[in-house]
Amino acid sequence: MSWLGRFGCVAAGYAVFQFLFGVLPDSIAGEPAKYLISGLSGFATVGMTWLAAALLRARSAGHVPGLAPAPLAPLAPGPLPQVFASAYGALAAQVAVVDDPVRGRLVGWPHSLQEPDGPARPTSLATAYGLHIVLDLGVPDGRLHTGDLIDTLWRLRLQGGGWSARSQGDVARPEVTAVVLGALARAGASRERLADEVARCEAGFTRELDSTGRALTHVVTTVMRGLLRAAPTSSMLPVLRGALIDGALSDPQRQHRRSWSHRLSPLPGVWRPAQPFALHTAQAVVALDRTARVLGEGTVERSAREDGVRWLLACPGTAHDSCVDLANLRDEVRRPHPDDASHQEVLNVRHFTASWIVRALLTPGAQEIARQDGLEDAWRERLNGAATAVWAAQTDGVWSWGRDGVTLTETEELRQPIWMTYQGLSALRAHAVWMYQPDTRTRLV
């Protein structure tokens, strides 16, 4: 067709003219009419042949008429690569190396970057989050080695198995164990070694042995996420999903959509209705979405997950980078002290709400619901607002905990909790992947 487009357009038109002039009946009024009809047909053939050849030439050159060329990428990179590089640099500079006489060489991080009190000592929870960050960012040099972090987490395992936070003593706790197991599984730890710890975590996370943890949204969803990484075939996952769905609330303020509070069951003797929170609803949405991708879901599970997404999209605020749904929260996990039942073990858990909103709205299920309901604009507005709030909480790739909009002083605990930096980086990375648009000019047609 290309040679016809360049050389044969007139020939094709002349052939049509000759053919029609020869076959048109004499009943047409005179030869002038036959010339007119044949000539117009010939000219039309010339035009159509030329246009067809031009279209083929444009396609072969990689250009589709009607599409504006994609804008050139800027020569300077955006700010996100620098944030990632700064975060990696901060982790490399703050990594603690301790030769423990009992546990051996420990390489990891304390609970907070730049801890003001005493020499830094790696903890299991902080080192697990640090390992997650290293896996997210990659290892551009040898200052951090994933093998060292993996070995340290195994060495920090408690004598009876499992892991706990530094304020929880020597009794393993399921939420901390799940975070560590998730990091180890993601880093490639052997299934056999993980299976033993998974079994211990499952055995201890029952209503009889841990009624406190089984009643808290944060604890249940954390264990679910850890098991999905370390033991996706665990028989406990459907049980925990059922408990999470049963603990949902119906919120009359948002069209009676199901949402979640910090508790899945009310405290005995407390008659005040539970209050739903965007944080716990986002945690539930993430856990339900990930579980659905592994186990599938039925009508009940899908309905609960979709209600949670629609509840998040129904935020009544106007400025979605500072609305009430993005307020950071703190949970208290109170368990009987293992050595003295008359005292309680108290774990303060701080939550970076904006990062959870980003995670929840970027689940495949949330995007599908937004398209189905015609809420793409609302979804995009709330997602971008939450991502803006995540970005605003960092300085040079490190996130700082604030209280009521005020940054804590250097002497206050958890000024730069490593889990917050992990959640901030993870949310921004997921948002950047969603925003990526390829250059259409390089597309093969």
Side-chain angles (χ1 to χ4, degrees):
M1 287 296 293
S2 59
W3 70 266
L4 182 61
R6 287 192 295 266
F7 305 111
C9 296
V10 176
Y14 182 74
V16 171
F17 168 82
Q18 287 285 79
F19 174 78
L20 290 177
F21 189 86
V23 300
L24 285 174
D26 293 334
S27 58
I28 295 179
E31 286 195 356
K34 292 173 66 176
Y35 274 111
L36 178 62
I37 295 173
S38 301
L40 290 175
S41 299
F43 280 118
T45 300
V46 171
M48 288 187 293
T49 305
W50 182 85
L51 287 174
L55 179 59
L56 287 175
R57 287 197 302 273
R59 284 186 174 181
S60 64
H63 173 70
V64 179
L67 289 180
L72 287 173
L75 293 178
L80 194 57
Q82 182 57 49
V83 167
F84 287 173
S86 298
Y88 182 86
L91 257 67
Q94 297 297 323
V95 67
V97 180
V98 175
D99 289 320
D100 187 278
V102 177
R103 302 183 183 276
R105 185 171 181 264
L106 303 178
V107 180
W109 292 271
H111 204 67
S112 180
L113 297 172
Q114 299 181 350
E115 284 204 354
D117 299 329
R121 181 181 175 83
T123 67
S124 55
L125 194 60
T127 302
Y129 281 118
L131 178 56
H132 273 303
I133 296 175
V134 171
L135 293 173
D136 272 354
L137 299 181
V139 185
D141 53 56
R143 287 178 292 172
L144 298 175
H145 194 279
T146 54
D148 293 337
L149 304 178
I150 293 171
D151 290 343
T152 295
L153 288 174
W154 284 120
R155 289 172 182 154
L156 289 173
R157 184 179 52 167
L158 299 174
Q159 187 174 5
W163 291 263
S164 66
R166 63 179 179 180
S167 63
Q168 291 178 317
D170 296 329
V171 176
R173 296 306 184 189
E175 65 274 22
V176 180
T177 298
V179 171
V180 174
L181 288 175
L184 287 172
R186 188 180 173 198
S190 70
R191 291 184 180 273
E192 293 77 12
R193 199 173 185 185
L194 289 173
D196 293 338
E197 294 302 326
V198 167
R200 291 190 181 95
C201 179
E202 293 174 332
F205 195 46
T206 63
R207 293 188 184 276
E208 294 75 22
L209 297 178
D210 192 1
S211 58
T212 298
R214 286 291 295 267
L216 298 177
T217 304
H218 154 68
V219 175
V220 169
T221 55
T222 300
V223 173
M224 290 174 67
R225 295 194 311 273
L227 290 179
L228 285 167
R229 279 193 169 114
T233 60
S234 169
S235 59
M236 179 164 274
L237 281 169
V239 176
L240 295 180
R241 178 167 65 175
L244 185 62
I245 293 172
D246 291 342
L249 307 173
S250 176
D251 184 8
Q253 301 299 320
R254 301 194 188 185
Q255 298 179 320
H256 290 278
R257 299 292 186 191
R258 273 172 288 185
S259 54
W260 280 264
S261 178
H262 73 291
R263 292 187 63 86
L264 298 175
S265 58
L267 285 169
V270 177
W271 302 104
R272 184 176 58 184
Q275 178 184 355
F277 291 103
L279 163 72
H280 301 98
T281 301
Q283 289 176 338
V285 166
V286 170
L288 291 174
D289 191 274
R290 292 185 184 180
T291 306
R293 280 183 274 165
V294 174
L295 303 182
E297 63 181 355
T299 303
V300 173
E301 294 84 4
R302 182 172 60 253
S303 176
R305 176 180 57 80
E306 291 179 347
D307 259 11
V309 172
R310 292 185 173 103
W311 188 92
L312 292 172
L313 293 177
C315 171
T318 53
H320 291 288
D321 59 343
S322 59
C323 61
V324 66
D325 274 8
L326 298 182
N328 289 335
L329 298 180
R330 187 181 70 177
D331 283 343
E332 280 189 349
V333 183
R334 291 179 174 269
R335 293 183 173 101
H337 196 280
D339 299 326
D340 185 356
S342 64
H343 291 79
Q344 288 187 323
E345 168 196 285
V346 180
L347 176 67
N348 288 308
V349 182
R350 293 167 171 85
H351 299 287
F352 188 11
T353 302
S355 71
W356 282 107
I357 301 294
V358 172
R359 287 183 181 185
L361 293 181
L362 282 177
T363 57
Q367 299 175 54
E368 181 182 353
I369 291 168
R371 286 191 293 267
Q372 290 176 355
D373 294 357
L375 296 174
E376 293 96 334
D377 290 342
W379 174 80
R380 188 174 293 104
E381 183 179 1
R382 284 150 182 78
L383 172 63
N384 290 338
T388 298
V390 170
W391 178 269
Q394 63 84 30
T395 302
D396 294 331
V398 175
W399 272 255
S400 299
W401 178 264
R403 182 176 56 205
D404 298 328
V406 178
T407 301
L408 302 183
T409 66
E410 292 188 6
T411 58
E412 290 186 275
E413 186 185 11
L414 300 178
R415 188 178 69 92
Q416 292 180 339
I418 195 170
W419 58 262
M420 191 176 187
T421 289
Y422 162 66
Q423 291 181 0
L425 290 170
S426 178
L428 290 182
R429 181 174 177 269
H431 188 251
V433 170
W434 169 74
M435 289 183 64
Y436 172 72
Q437 294 291 334
D439 189 343
T440 58
R441 292 171 303 177
T442 63
R443 183 178 60 189
L444 296 178
V445 179

